[in-house]
Amino acid sequence: MTRNRKMTEDNVMTIREMCDTFEVTPRTLRFYEAKELLFPIRQGTKRLFTRRDRARLKLILRGKRFGFSLEEIRQLLDLYNPSDEQGTQLAKTYELACQRLADMERQREELDEAIEELRNRLAWGEEQLSALKSKEAAE
Amino acid sequence: MTRNRKMTEDNVMTIREMCDTFEVTPRTLRFYEAKELLFPIRQGTKRLFTRRDRARLKLILRGKRFGFSLEEIRQLLDLYNPSDEQGTQLAKTYELACQRLADMERQREELDEAIEELRNRLAWGEEQLSALKSKEAAE
DNA sequence: CGTTTCGTTTACGTTCGCGTCAAGCATTGA
DNA sequence: TCAATGCTTGACGCGAACGTAAACGAAACG
């Protein structure tokens, strides 16, 4: 056999290594697997997470920060998947991704607006605070 | 009395008008009131939503789209509130808003990244699709 | 006058995204 | 060999954000 010493199964991670790397719990990773968001290799009873799983998890966590549900994220992940989809399936996925892109661009516009507004309110807040301070000083 | 004809309580809306305008259910509005996100006037038993409630609801719905929890949103709303807060309270609100702003700016960067990546995948998807089409044509 | 039409409260139900045991196998080190 | 450690599979629990059904009050309309 060409491989010795622990087989060095290249580039896979145990569940604990995953948890430490991404700051999630084992429960979360198993939950995502149950929801078909991740597909770790099963070596005997244990899970081994590949490069692909890591990439997917990154996208999952990002999606969550954008307020997407796990189901929405799952559908998006299919797009990033070098899968063996046939014509109609591929077309459907493509369609879906276009919509998500539109969603995200709308969301960005809103986000810009919201940031702008919040900046204004913060400026107003600073005024209030400094006004209060000078009033305090006057006593 | 200076007012006749239905009192035209200027600029308030019934719960139904609110629902139609913002595409939410009555339950949702009552729920938000219970959580102290909205404060409609009570005329007898009924609720009347003011301009202020409408502005707040708009911010609530926006916040939700950004993935904020109702509690986080409630705290942010205090900032937009021409409230009678005292020094320490105002300072706390200000502090919190700064953090949220930072959150949103980080989210914006991530969003840009995500949009960029999704665009790339879409381009890749188009290739696949056109490849499939020419293959079909060849048969 | 009765009966729809709104609105209300109360309260239990539901879905999502995990947390938290309990009980069991499996490797590992003393 | 034996206990500790790590990972596993259920299974139940939980907070958030509402849905939904029951039972009632008030106003509006023919």
Side-chain angles (χ1 to χ4, degrees):
Chain A
M1 309 338 166
T2 55
R3 292 158 199 222
N4 58 353
R5 275 199 77 57
K6 259 182 152 194
M7 288 265 281
T8 309
E9 294 289 354
D10 65 330
N11 236 358
V12 298
M13 289 173 69
T14 72
I15 203 170
R16 185 106 309 274
E17 291 168 333
M18 287 292 282
C19 292
D20 294 348
T21 304
F22 293 96
E23 305 197 0
V24 295
T25 70
R27 177 68 174 101
T28 300
L29 294 178
R30 293 187 199 113
F31 184 75
Y32 290 167
E33 183 184 0
K35 293 284 174 178
E36 304 191 47
L37 290 159
L38 297 177
F39 309 94
I41 304 169
R42 304 304 287 266
Q43 164 175 307
T45 172
K46 311 202 164 176
R47 290 167 174 84
L48 291 179
F49 295 84
T50 67
R51 211 166 44 271
R52 180 160 144 276
D53 291 312
R54 262 130 45 204
R56 292 175 74 95
L57 182 52
K58 240 173 115 176
L59 289 172
I60 294 168
L61 298 178
R62 173 195 280 172
K64 287 197 57 184
R65 263 165 279 153
F66 295 160
F68 291 146
S69 76
L70 289 185
E71 176 54 24
E72 290 173 321
I73 292 171
R74 197 187 58 74
Q75 295 178 17
L76 264 183
L77 280 176
D78 287 347
L79 184 78
Y80 286 81
N81 215 355
S83 123
D84 55 346
E85 334 187 52
Q86 299 300 349
T88 58
Q89 181 56 26
L90 182 64
K92 254 183 60 185
T93 306
Y94 178 82
E95 197 58 35
L96 210 148
C98 281
Q99 290 187 27
R100 286 276 170 271
L101 181 57
D103 287 351
M104 289 167 74
E105 283 172 338
R106 249 181 289 124
Q107 187 166 347
R108 188 175 58 182
E109 284 177 37
E110 259 193 286
L111 191 52
D112 283 344
E113 254 186 81
I115 286 176
E116 191 55 27
E117 284 183 34
L118 192 47
R119 281 227 180 85
N120 289 341
R121 294 312 289 195
L122 276 177
W124 176 84
E126 273 173 36
E127 269 184 50
Q128 300 303 101
L129 276 174
S130 63
L132 255 164
K133 280 197 108 178
S134 55
K135 208 172 145 196
E136 269 176 35
E139 288 170 9
Chain B
M1 308 327 166
T2 54
R3 292 162 197 217
N4 58 355
R5 276 199 73 58
K6 258 183 151 193
M7 288 264 281
T8 310
E9 295 289 356
D10 66 330
N11 236 356
V12 297
M13 289 172 70
T14 72
I15 202 169
R16 185 105 309 274
E17 291 169 333
M18 288 291 282
C19 292
D20 294 348
T21 304
F22 292 97
E23 305 196 357
V24 295
T25 69
R27 178 70 174 98
T28 300
L29 294 178
R30 293 187 199 114
F31 184 76
Y32 290 169
E33 182 184 0
K35 293 283 176 178
E36 304 191 51
L37 291 158
L38 298 178
F39 309 95
I41 305 168
R42 302 303 288 265
Q43 164 176 305
T45 170
K46 311 200 167 179
R47 290 166 173 86
L48 292 179
F49 296 84
T50 67
R51 214 165 42 270
R52 179 159 145 277
D53 290 313
R54 261 128 48 202
R56 292 174 74 94
L57 182 53
K58 239 173 117 177
L59 289 173
I60 293 167
L61 298 178
R62 173 195 279 172
K64 286 198 58 184
R65 261 165 280 153
F66 295 159
F68 291 146
S69 76
L70 289 186
E71 176 55 23
E72 290 173 319
I73 292 170
R74 197 187 58 72
Q75 296 178 18
L76 263 184
L77 279 176
D78 288 346
L79 185 78
Y80 285 81
N81 216 356
S83 125
D84 54 347
E85 334 188 53
Q86 300 298 351
T88 57
Q89 181 54 29
L90 182 64
K92 255 183 60 184
T93 306
Y94 178 82
E95 198 56 36
L96 212 149
C98 280
Q99 289 187 27
R100 287 276 168 273
L101 180 59
D103 286 351
M104 290 167 74
E105 283 172 338
R106 249 179 289 125
Q107 187 166 345
R108 196 208 131 93
E109 284 177 37
E110 263 194 282
L111 192 51
D112 282 344
E113 254 185 81
I115 286 176
E116 191 54 30
E117 284 182 34
L118 192 46
R119 281 227 180 84
N120 289 341
R121 295 310 290 195
L122 276 177
W124 177 83
E126 273 174 34
E127 268 183 51
Q128 301 303 102
L129 276 174
S130 63
L132 255 164
K133 279 196 107 179
S134 55
K135 208 172 148 195
E136 270 174 34
E139 287 171 7

